[in-house]
Amino acid sequence: MALDEALRRPLKRAGIMGGTLVVAGLVVGGFFTLGGHRGPEQGARLAADVFLTRLAAGNIGGAYDQLCNETRGRVEREDFVAGIGGRSAVSSYTIGAVVPAGSHDATVSAELVDPTGATTPYELRVTDDRGTWRVCGNPLDAG
């Protein structure tokens, strides 16, 4: 009987580990299936937040990377950095309304605060660009 018991333990462990892996796979798969594609409001808010966080941190090149492919095709990195870099610094911001314009586009309203405390309204067009929400349009005209 001791031999049977010794043989059952590894099989029992293998069954538990296999079951754990199946559950983990379902959780991870569910995350990517259900959470991978964000709706317009959530995706647009997150994209605007990342873009504005990078501007506020002075990471203008990083903000450029948050632009959609269409905009990056029209605005060169150097022009974007020079255009944004020549403006008053953004010390903080507040995201306001997010207005979906279909399932792949939205407009995000924000208020930028410069180091003096002055505020400037800022409106961003945000789009689902091949599965990733990005700022689109002409960000040099905003704010």
Side-chain angles (χ1 to χ4, degrees):
M1 283 230 183
L3 186 58
D4 285 342
E5 184 76 24
L7 292 175
R8 288 185 192 168
R9 282 186 188 157
L11 292 176
K12 189 174 183 180
R13 283 187 197 145
I16 291 171
M17 286 179 49
T20 302
L21 290 174
V22 168
V23 170
L26 291 172
V27 169
V28 171
F31 172 79
F32 285 108
T33 300
L34 301 175
H37 180 74
R38 291 179 166 81
E41 187 172 319
Q42 182 184 15
R45 181 176 298 277
L46 181 60
D49 186 45
V50 170
F51 179 79
L52 294 173
T53 295
R54 289 180 177 182
L55 284 181
N59 183 359
I60 299 169
Y64 179 85
D65 294 337
Q66 290 303 119
L67 297 176
C68 72
N69 288 324
E70 173 193 334
T71 299
R72 282 185 282 162
R74 287 185 290 108
V75 180
E76 295 293 325
R77 179 181 293 274
E78 295 77 24
D79 295 336
F80 179 80
V81 170
I84 296 290
R87 299 175 184 208
S88 297
V90 175
S91 59
S92 65
Y93 63 91
T94 304
I95 293 178
V98 178
V99 180
S103 61
H104 299 288
D105 293 290
T107 300
V108 178
S109 298
E111 189 169 83
L112 306 183
V113 181
D114 72 18
T116 68
T119 60
T120 304
Y122 197 88
E123 202 167 83
L124 301 125
R125 184 171 71 92
V126 183
T127 188
D128 183 347
D129 186 19
R130 298 182 214 170
T132 302
W133 285 90
R134 297 187 181 277
V135 173
C136 221
N138 191 353
L140 297 176
D141 287 343

